[in-house]
């Protein structure tokens, strides 16, 4: 089975978010980049599937050369080969079209994306890609079983779970639950050494134009000071919530 | 050239997010001086929709669409978009609408932006404001192309009532075939879900252990709230993953968020930033959550929550 895991290179969760060039661009100065957490759950699942099935794992990112560090990390975690489509990730549409174009000449049975990225976090790329490729699609995927060409997926829905069955090929949007936090693979020395031998291919982009453009970023307004209520005056807290904030 | 709102229903009922999407569609249509149509699938409930200003309600009744399917629904909506010549499509941010939004946009090759918090700042160019960096920032985003899909963030635009007397139109379609079949839906009954809740009561590692959640559940019950938790609490299995909120969990955009024994790490706050009013109960006055909250009580949760529940019981 051929598995593709789409990886988004995102600022570490503790990053301070700032903008430059008249608030039109994210300030990546001093930012540590990580594998998008939802993608990492998906990659771990792929590595498990490789252990139990005969599968090969390709990881792919659309981005500039700075994204190669995390691709190497994915190889150290257990992917077999890495692809970087060489263009800036401008918007979900152009990213999904670039991935689609790659998937036209290299077919995959299972494409794993994250449910959403934590930077631009539109949660759009996997669905778009499924629409473009006319693949089956399940997002918010918390469990996945593949038996020959049959797939069973569990999707987290509001207040429960939806279980579906379909044929391959399929695209899933992964999240925690697909594997647990404790299952995430921390690359060991051997993995890191092996990753150096594995192929990382740079593919020329089609340079597809965007359908959405971030014109200007803004940060939320600074919060006013917290109002403290004494623990033995809880009635006051209820008063404030009832009459001032009007939320109960 | 009109605005089309997909009005999601479940068992003939609409959630607040569906009315909110229609409210947004109506306001946008007014701004653009065009008409707004609402699309319902396998629902017969029309009365309540008259409060939100639709000019037309398009009804699809089709037994092949009895169960939600992102793929089948997207293809059905695409046919309506085509026949109505819609240029703007409005969706809510419910799990199902987000699921089908991206897929739909893929099959009709439109632009799509989710997490939109207000009406467009400008119509030409078409610029909307949305959240990004998990609520740590906003972006004014320009949408390009003849058809634009907008996913309205929950609880941000709000409900705006305007009475109307819409034309009702039945729309016949044949659902597409798909080998993807829903075989089972497992739902917990009775409890309020985080996505739909006006109030969320959330607790963290300060609760010491899963056995102490009775108190959290009781507080949620008197307030009609959903329960939630911090990431380590779900990682340790004290609470189900579906309750994990934050940057890597669920976003919360409730009216009131009560955090008990949660320190307020940046990843936690990112997920709850768009909640309107935040209350923190924590015995450490230095806990970062106090900087993000509107109201706070410094003290031991085990001594504060039980009397709070009693007082709320007598007052609400
Ligand atoms: C990549 C990444 C992603 C993450 N994503 C998320 C996320 O999505 N959501 C999330 O929540 N976290 C996330 N985290 C974890 C985050 O950094 C914090 O570790 C976590 O939020 C802390 O949880 P907590 O507040 O429950 O626990 P703690 O930090 O241990 O805080 C417990 C709090 O309880 C208080 N307390 C103790 N006893 C009492 C008492 N008796 N009464 C009242 N208060 C008491 C303490 O003063 C303390 O402030 C992420 C971390 C990483 C690295
Ligand atoms: N630049 C990118 N390269 C490869 N995959 C991406 C990229 N951006 C997003 N994705 C994938 O799409 C998912 C959802 O991203 P988004 O639509 O940005 O929320 C991510 O979790 C990734 O799996």
């Amino acid at each position: 089975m051929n598995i593709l895991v789409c990886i988004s290179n995102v600022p570490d969760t503790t990053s301070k978010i700032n903008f430059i060039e008249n608030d039109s661009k994210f300030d990546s100065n001093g930012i540590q980049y990580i594998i998008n957490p939802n993608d990492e759950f998906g990659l771990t699942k792929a590595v498990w599937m490789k252990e139990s099935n005969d599968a090969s794992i390709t990881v792919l990112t659309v981005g500039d050369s700075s994204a190669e560090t995390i691709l190497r990390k994915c190889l150290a975690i257990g992917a077999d080969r890495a692809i970087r489509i060489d263009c800036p990730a401008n918007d979900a549409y152009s990213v999904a079209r670039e991935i689609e174009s790659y998937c036209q000449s290299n077919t995959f049975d299972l494409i794993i994306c994250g449910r959403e990225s934590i930077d631009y976090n539109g949660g759009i790329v996997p669905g778009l890609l499924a629409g473009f490729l006319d693949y089956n699609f399940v997002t918010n995927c918390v469990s996945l079983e593949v038996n020959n060409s049959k797939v069973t997926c569990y999707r987290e829905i509001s207040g429960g779970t939806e279980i579906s069955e379909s044929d391959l090929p399929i695209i899933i949007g992964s999240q925690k639950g697909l594997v647990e936090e404790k299952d995430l693979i921390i690359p060991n020395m051997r993995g890191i050494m092996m990753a150096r031998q594995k192929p990382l291919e740079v593919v020329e982009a089609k340079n597809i134009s965007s359908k959405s453009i971030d014109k200007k970023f803004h940060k939320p307004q600074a919060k006013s000071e917290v109002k403290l209520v004494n623990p033995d005056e809880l009635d006051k807290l209820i008063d404030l919530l009832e009459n001032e904030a009007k939320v109960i | 050239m009109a605005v089309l709102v997909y009005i999601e229903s479940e068992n003939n009922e609409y959630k607040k997010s569906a009315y909110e999407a229609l409210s947004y569609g109506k306001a946008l249509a007014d701004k653009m001086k065009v008409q707004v149509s609402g699309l319902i699938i396998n629902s017969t409930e029309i009365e309540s929709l008259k409060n939100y200003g639709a000019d037309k309600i398009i009804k699809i009744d089709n037994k092949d669409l009895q169960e939600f399917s992102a793929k089948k629904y997207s293809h059905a909506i695409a046919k309506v978009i085509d026949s109505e010549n819609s240029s703007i499509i409005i969706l809510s941010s419910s799990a199902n609408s987000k699921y089908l939004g991206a897929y739909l946009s893929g099959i009709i090759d439109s632009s799509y932006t989710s997490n939109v918090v207000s009406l467009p700042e400008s119509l030409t160019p078409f610029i909307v404001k949305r959240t990004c960096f998990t609520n740590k920032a906003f972006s004014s985003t320009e949408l390009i192309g003849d058809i634009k899909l907008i996913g309205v963030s929950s609880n941000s635009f709000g409900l705006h009532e305007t009475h109307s007397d819409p034309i009702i139109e039945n729309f016949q379609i044949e659902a597409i075939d798909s080998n993807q079949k829903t075989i089972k839906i497992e739902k917990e009954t009775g409890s309020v879900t985080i996505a739909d809740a006006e109030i969320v009561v959330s607790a963290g590692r300060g609760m010491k252990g899963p056995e102490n959640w009775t108190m959290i559940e009781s507080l949620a019950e008197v307030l009609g709230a959903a329960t939630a938790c911090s990431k380590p609490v779900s990682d340790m299995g004290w609470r189900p993953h579906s309750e994990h909120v934050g940057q890597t969990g669920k976003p919360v955009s409730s009216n009131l968020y009560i955090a008990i024994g949660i320190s307020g790490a940046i990843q936690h706050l990112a997920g709850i930033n768009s909640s309107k009013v935040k209350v923190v109960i924590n015995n450490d006055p230095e806990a970062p959550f106090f900087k993000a909250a509107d109201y706070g009580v410094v003290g031991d949760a085990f001594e504060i929550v039980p009397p709070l529940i009693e007082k709320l019981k007598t007052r609400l």
Side-chain angles (χ1 to χ4, degrees):
Chain A
M1 186 166 61
N2 262 335
I3 307 176
L4 177 71
V5 187
C6 298
I7 302 286
S8 179
N9 184 37
V10 297
D12 168 45
T13 55
T14 55
S15 303
K16 290 268 179 294
I17 305 297
N18 287 307
F19 302 100
I20 48 169
E21 293 176 24
N22 201 12
D23 286 336
S24 68
K25 249 180 103 177
F26 176 65
D27 183 0
S28 57
N29 201 353
I31 297 283
Q32 181 85 24
Y33 279 84
I34 59 168
I35 303 172
N36 183 42
N38 289 313
D39 309 357
E40 196 172 346
F41 293 119
L43 175 61
T44 308
K45 178 73 186 181
V47 173
W48 286 3
M49 293 176 75
K50 185 176 142 179
E51 283 160 6
S52 59
N53 290 298
D54 190 22
S56 101
I57 308 172
T58 305
V59 287
L60 177 155
T61 194
V62 178
D64 59 31
S65 58
S66 66
E68 289 186 6
T69 318
I70 63 149
L71 285 180
R72 285 278 172 220
K73 185 171 176 201
C74 293
L75 293 171
I77 287 172
D80 300 300
R81 53 202 283 265
I83 306 294
R84 179 172 69 80
I85 301 182
D86 188 24
C87 67
N90 283 329
D91 77 328
Y93 182 84
S94 58
V95 166
R97 280 286 183 211
E98 294 290 352
I99 302 175
E100 180 210 5
S101 151
Y102 183 79
C103 293
Q104 299 292 6
S105 38
N106 302 269
T107 53
F108 295 94
D109 311 294
L110 169 64
I111 300 180
I112 302 179
C113 292
R115 169 194 75 183
E116 68 172 5
S117 62
I118 61 164
D119 50 359
Y120 296 94
N121 66 286
I124 301 180
V125 171
L128 268 185
L129 189 58
F132 293 160
L133 291 167
D134 194 23
Y135 273 24
N136 287 323
F137 171 47
V138 173
T139 196
N140 293 17
C141 184
V142 289
S143 173
L144 168 75
E145 287 155 39
V146 181
N147 268 316
N148 298 319
S149 68
K150 289 274 176 228
V151 194
T152 309
C153 283
Y154 287 57
R155 175 171 74 101
E156 186 182 310
I157 56 173
S158 189
T161 316
E162 174 198 274
I163 306 159
S164 66
E165 274 177 4
S166 69
D167 295 344
L168 289 174
I170 191 168
I171 298 185
I172 67 150
S174 77
Q175 63 174 49
K176 187 169 84 169
L178 192 58
V179 306
E180 301 300 326
E181 185 81 20
K182 63 172 172 28
D183 301 323
L184 295 178
I185 301 163
I186 299 159
N188 54 21
M189 213 46 205
R190 190 166 156 267
I192 295 166
M193 297 304 283
M194 275 167 65
R196 294 200 187 140
Q197 314 299 323
K198 293 178 181 172
L200 192 163
E201 188 190 336
V202 179
V203 173
E204 207 178 309
K206 294 277 180 289
N207 292 315
I208 289 143
S209 47
S210 301
K211 278 200 189 282
S212 68
I213 302 168
D214 289 308
K215 288 286 184 189
K216 206 174 173 73
F217 293 100
H218 334 246
K219 292 218 272 182
Q221 277 174 347
K223 193 119 200 96
S224 53
E225 188 99 346
V226 59
K227 276 193 189 165
L228 290 181
V229 175
N230 207 305
D232 13 276
E233 291 175 340
L234 293 174
D235 274 307
K236 205 172 134 198
L237 178 67
I238 302 175
D239 287 339
L240 287 167
L241 294 178
E242 211 166 30
N243 306 319
E244 188 180 80
K246 298 192 171 53
V247 285
I248 57 172
Chain B
M1 247 290 281
V3 175
L4 178 73
V5 182
Y6 167 57
I7 308 170
E8 183 181 321
S9 60
E10 196 178 329
N11 305 324
N12 241 358
E13 278 180 23
Y14 308 106
K15 290 198 171 143
K16 185 182 166 195
S17 59
Y19 295 126
E20 204 175 0
L22 183 54
S23 298
Y24 185 98
K26 166 67 180 162
L28 177 57
D30 283 350
K31 197 171 156 137
M32 296 170 64
K33 302 193 175 60
V34 296
Q35 302 237 306
V36 56
S37 307
L39 167 64
I40 55 179
I41 300 181
N42 287 334
S43 171
T44 51
E45 214 298 296
I46 304 279
E47 263 330 287
S48 67
L49 299 179
K50 294 184 177 169
N51 297 328
Y52 299 98
D55 297 300
K56 178 156 87 177
I57 298 293
I58 301 165
K59 275 182 83 197
I60 293 181
D61 292 297
N62 186 314
K63 61 174 180 13
D64 295 329
L65 299 175
Q66 213 55 264
E67 241 156 32
F68 173 81
S69 147
K71 197 168 183 173
K72 290 184 180 177
Y73 273 44
S74 294
H75 281 278
I77 299 170
K79 288 193 181 117
V80 177
I81 294 169
D82 194 38
S83 116
E84 288 288 298
N85 217 350
S86 322
S87 55
I88 309 267
I89 296 93
I90 311 294
L91 303 167
S92 78
S93 284
S94 73
N96 282 357
S97 286
K98 278 191 117 168
Y99 180 23
L100 74 76
Y103 188 85
L104 170 61
S105 145
I107 60 175
I108 63 173
D109 199 41
S110 70
S111 56
Y112 172 40
T113 189
S114 53
N115 303 327
V116 171
V117 293
S118 53
L119 284 178
E121 291 164 12
S122 142
L123 292 175
T124 30
F126 197 91
I127 298 179
V128 288
K129 187 173 170 188
R130 66 177 179 106
T131 59
C132 56
F133 294 95
T134 28
N135 289 315
K136 290 176 191 163
F138 296 101
S139 158
S140 293
T141 306
E142 179 180 351
L143 296 184
I144 295 161
D146 298 336
I147 306 181
K148 303 172 180 77
L149 248 77
I150 296 177
V152 184
S153 176
S154 299
N155 243 336
S156 55
F157 186 70
L159 299 177
H160 299 266
E161 295 201 10
T162 3
H163 187 79
S164 69
D165 218 349
I167 315 165
I168 316 291
E169 195 179 284
N170 289 305
F171 194 91
Q172 306 290 342
I173 56 148
E174 231 173 88
I176 61 143
D177 209 23
S178 166
N179 63 46
Q180 187 171 0
K181 306 247 171 349
T182 299
I183 53 169
K184 199 167 164 196
I185 291 179
E186 290 168 352
K187 275 212 169 190
E188 299 140 33
T189 46
S191 59
V192 189
T193 62
I194 294 173
D196 302 326
E198 303 274 345
I199 303 179
V200 173
V201 175
S202 187
R205 201 144 56 178
M207 295 313 296
K208 313 282 189 282
E211 66 282 3
N212 296 324
W213 247 264
T214 350
M215 180 166 107
I216 302 301
E217 282 168 345
S218 311
L219 178 59
E221 201 184 315
V222 276
L223 291 167
T227 49
C229 68
S230 66
K231 176 170 177 283
V233 164
S234 79
D235 286 343
M236 291 182 294
W238 294 1
R239 300 296 292 176
H241 285 320
S242 55
E243 287 198 0
H244 161 193
V245 302
Q247 190 163 15
T248 52
K250 280 208 175 58
V252 180
S253 54
S254 56
N255 283 331
L256 174 60
Y257 184 79
I258 305 181
I260 303 166
I262 299 177
S263 57
I266 186 165
Q267 300 97 344
H268 187 86
L269 297 178
I272 58 125
N273 256 343
S274 57
S275 282
K276 299 225 165 64
V277 175
K278 288 154 226 141
V279 175
V280 54
I281 299 174
N282 195 306
N283 61 5
D284 175 10
E286 301 293 318
F289 216 122
F290 285 102
K291 292 214 168 58
D294 302 279
Y295 303 103
V297 188
V298 180
D300 184 349
F302 294 90
E303 282 164 23
I304 295 169
V305 178
L308 182 63
I309 296 169
E310 290 316 310
K311 282 181 197 298
L312 284 166
K313 272 190 188 151
T314 56
R315 290 187 49 173
L316 293 183

